[in-house]
Amino acid sequence: MRLLPLAPGRLRRGSPRHLPSCSPALLLLVLGGCLGVFGVAAGTRRPNVVLLLTDDQDEVLGGMTPLKKTKALIGEMGMTFSSAYVPSALCCPSRASILTGKYPHNHHVVNNTLEGNCSSKSWQKIQEPNTFPAILRSMCGYQTFFAGKYLNEYGAPDAGGLEHVPLGWSYWYALEKNSKYYNYTLSINGKARKHGENYSVDYLTDVLANVSLDFLDYKSNFEPFFMMIATPAPHSPWTAAPQYQKAFQNVFAPRNKNFNIHGTNKHWLIRQAKTPMTNSSIQFLDNAFRKRWQTLLSVDDLVEKLVKRLEFTGELNNTYIFYTSDNGYHTGQFSLPIDKRQLYEFDIKVPLLVRGPGIKPNQTSKQCFPDCVCEDAYNNTYACVRTMSALWNLQYCEFDDQEVFVEVYNLTADPDQITNIAKTIDPELLGKMNYRLMMLQSCSGPTCRTPGVFDPGYRFDPRLMFSNRGSVRTRRFSKHLL
């Protein structure tokens, strides 16, 4: 099948405000290489970029375990980031952050609905012209290719339907709405194409692999390229390819320290979970865990095919390949059977691997901005700040609903986030983290890159955290315990 590019569009050459999260490598490398920030020599070829984005793939609970080829072909040939966090543990807000480099409080996508700005007319008008693929195309001369799940409400009639193709894409193969494996509709450069349930021609992960390989065969050889391939796996309904449906029969969801226990001293949404879970709930989440891994085996095949084709065409050594997910997932932690959305490591920490020019093999990076924010502006109304240093890894979270609540975790001593130390932490440290959260929640542009710069003249008043709703009772203890 020959791919036909879209007609070139007129894009606005503004100066978008790209804001970092705790996973800044992608935007820095893509835009830095494009705009010459990293000193690409005159006359040398600009690097190609491939972004592989999975859906609901955790890092904490072994989400990368099934991907042996991916780990060998990307991780072992490049760098693995061990501190990669999403700014929102929900598909559409997180994908909006990936595309724009902005925190949710700046791109205003707060949930997976049109009303929450997910693929809305407002998003299309204000944010889409300033996504980094649009910049790569308009300012850097890249040919751009998209295949897979875009935003959850993409294709909705009230958002322009499947005829809408976002600015910045030369080739557009986008799934209508949310993840599916069969019986879905794609927008092929603005024209609808329906798929059924015949594995050989309809299984979405394989379809994405095939159109991606076609792009590499038929693209222009005179321009660098950017590819974004967004798979349905391992999102529900967890439909594995036929050859993988019996894999991992002896695998169960991890029984780690926070599995099937009550969320003591946590927000009411967590405390209301039934503990212990019923046997049927545990059987259901174990089955879901296995099926999630099964769907990832086709993603592993996709990665292998893509890398081999890049090597065959001579493009591999000049191509950055990123692998990551839009959010994590939980299966039984704090007696929450299955889902995401929460502030804990299993939901906000994701895989991030990259290989490419100048990246040495078998590297691991713990590097992260001193502070980063994770926020859920609508669903659970929380916001968190992560502060990392050589001595500690602290997470401070505020909820703002009918129960004003604070959760604080020292992940250096408590990686499973079992003990909420909000009422025992040093008030001075509590105040600094609250202040940093306020800074991050109001930041834009360069101010998001220096949130750890703390004003020594600032004096903390615990009542400020609760906006006149009462003060927090705290007890001082030794800082060295942190």
Side-chain angles (χ1 to χ4, degrees):
M1 175 178 63
R2 185 173 180 83
L3 301 181
L4 298 176
L6 294 166
R10 295 179 59 84
L11 300 183
R12 186 153 47 94
R13 292 177 176 263
S15 179
R17 299 180 300 173
H18 287 276
L19 313 180
S21 70
C22 249
S23 305
L26 190 151
L27 283 173
L28 288 177
L29 276 174
V30 172
L31 293 179
C34 159
L35 300 174
V37 175
F38 295 108
V40 177
T44 60
R45 290 191 304 157
R46 284 168 296 172
N48 308 308
V49 182
V50 176
L51 169 59
L52 295 153
L53 180 66
T54 56
D55 197 349
D56 287 3
Q57 185 181 357
D58 68 277
E59 193 276 336
V60 172
L61 301 178
M64 284 299 297
T65 302
L67 293 145
K68 299 183 185 302
K69 301 171 187 175
T70 300
K71 290 188 289 186
L73 294 171
I74 303 179
E76 292 176 15
M77 297 303 295
M79 181 174 289
T80 300
F81 290 84
S82 59
S83 298
Y85 296 94
V86 294
S88 179
L90 190 61
C91 296
C92 204
S94 179
R95 288 165 184 262
S97 290
I98 290 170
L99 289 164
T100 64
K102 296 179 180 180
Y103 283 129
H105 69 259
N106 283 324
H107 62 58
H108 305 298
V109 178
V110 297
N111 59 36
N112 291 343
T113 69
L114 281 177
E115 294 77 13
N117 203 29
C118 180
S119 201
S120 68
K121 290 289 188 179
S122 174
W123 158 267
Q124 294 170 15
K125 179 180 178 180
I126 298 172
Q127 303 298 341
E128 280 187 343
N130 291 322
T131 61
F132 75 86
I135 296 169
L136 285 176
R137 185 179 177 192
S138 64
M139 299 179 67
C140 308
Y142 274 65
Q143 49 192 321
T144 54
F145 169 91
F146 181 87
K149 175 181 171 179
Y150 179 57
L151 301 177
N152 295 58
E153 284 297 320
Y154 173 75
D158 291 342
L162 294 174
E163 294 79 16
H164 171 69
V165 178
L167 290 172
W169 298 100
S170 312
Y171 301 83
W172 183 251
Y173 284 72
L175 176 69
E176 180 183 28
K177 296 193 174 182
N178 207 359
S179 282
K180 292 184 178 181
Y181 298 82
Y182 295 108
N183 298 311
Y184 55 85
T185 302
L186 293 178
S187 170
I188 311 297
N189 294 336
K191 295 183 179 181
R193 177 182 295 172
K194 293 186 177 180
H195 282 259
E197 51 189 19
N198 182 340
Y199 168 71
S200 63
V201 294
D202 296 318
Y203 189 69
L204 182 54
T205 305
D206 292 351
V207 169
L208 300 182
N210 292 335
V211 297
S212 299
L213 298 181
D214 286 343
F215 168 75
L216 292 176
D217 286 340
Y218 293 110
K219 67 176 177 60
S220 166
N221 291 323
F222 302 101
E223 299 171 317
F225 63 83
F226 169 76
M227 301 178 70
M228 183 171 179
I229 307 167
T231 71
H235 195 284
S236 62
W238 315 305
T239 308
Q243 66 269 31
Y244 296 133
Q245 290 180 359
K246 294 185 179 180
F248 308 120
Q249 291 302 304
N250 296 320
V251 169
F252 301 89
R255 268 49 170 179
N256 47 2
K257 291 182 179 179
N258 55 23
F259 179 83
N260 199 18
I261 66 170
H262 187 258
T264 306
N265 295 322
K266 289 178 168 44
H267 187 256
W268 68 267
L269 280 168
I270 308 302
R271 298 198 308 269
Q272 71 177 353
K274 183 178 179 180
T275 306
M277 293 182 290
T278 63
N279 289 336
S280 60
S281 293
I282 293 176
Q283 290 174 1
F284 177 78
L285 68 87
D286 279 337
N287 189 46
F289 189 88
R290 282 189 290 271
K291 288 184 175 180
R292 284 165 51 79
W293 275 22
Q294 290 168 359
T295 66
L296 285 169
L297 293 176
S298 292
V299 177
D300 213 28
D301 291 340
L302 184 158
V303 172
E304 180 183 41
K305 293 173 184 176
L306 190 70
V307 171
K308 285 186 175 180
R309 185 62 57 88
L310 287 168
E311 185 174 28
F312 177 77
T313 59
E315 299 278 6
L316 183 60
N317 291 336
N318 193 43
T319 301
Y320 289 103
I321 305 176
F322 292 85
Y323 184 98
T324 191
S325 176
D326 56 2
N327 50 255
Y329 207 72
H330 57 255
T331 49
Q333 286 61 48
F334 303 123
S335 298
L336 304 170
I338 56 168
D339 200 24
K340 55 248 184 172
R341 306 170 195 267
Q342 304 303 329
L343 57 90
Y344 307 105
E345 293 286 276
F346 40 75
D347 284 357
I348 66 172
K349 193 172 185 179
V350 294
L352 178 59
L353 317 175
V354 59
R355 67 171 290 175
I359 300 178
K360 296 179 180 180
N362 287 310
Q363 298 293 303
T364 300
S365 174
K366 297 180 180 180
Q367 186 175 10
C368 179
F369 281 88
D371 299 281
C372 59
V373 68
C374 179
E375 51 196 10
D376 185 355
Y378 180 85
N379 290 280
N380 296 340
T381 64
Y382 67 76
C384 303
V385 62
R386 174 65 55 96
T387 301
M388 302 182 72
S389 72
L391 298 177
W392 58 48
N393 179 350
L394 292 175
Q395 183 188 34
Y396 170 94
C397 301
E398 295 180 9
F399 288 83
D400 185 18
D401 56 7
Q402 63 264 40
E403 179 185 31
V404 178
F405 201 75
V406 174
E407 295 187 29
V408 183
Y409 299 98
N410 172 15
L411 281 92
T412 303
D414 179 23
D416 295 298
Q417 296 165 287
I418 294 173
T419 304
N420 178 8
I421 59 174
K423 294 184 179 180
T424 60
I425 197 170
D426 186 328
E428 180 181 357
L429 186 57
L430 195 71
K432 288 183 178 181
M433 296 185 76
N434 165 259
Y435 180 59
R436 285 173 173 170
L437 180 58
M438 289 191 294
M439 292 170 67
L440 277 164
Q441 283 191 290
S442 61
C443 73
S444 64
T447 63
C448 291
R449 299 186 179 96
T450 56
V453 179
F454 184 72
D455 180 2
Y458 175 78
R459 293 295 178 264
F460 171 61
D461 181 351
R463 291 172 295 182
L464 294 176
M465 285 193 296
F466 299 96
S467 303
N468 298 322
R469 300 183 194 179
S471 61
V472 61
R473 297 173 60 187
T474 57
R475 176 168 59 86
R476 183 179 297 274
F477 75 115
S478 298
K479 293 182 181 178
H480 73 270
L481 294 176
L482 295 175

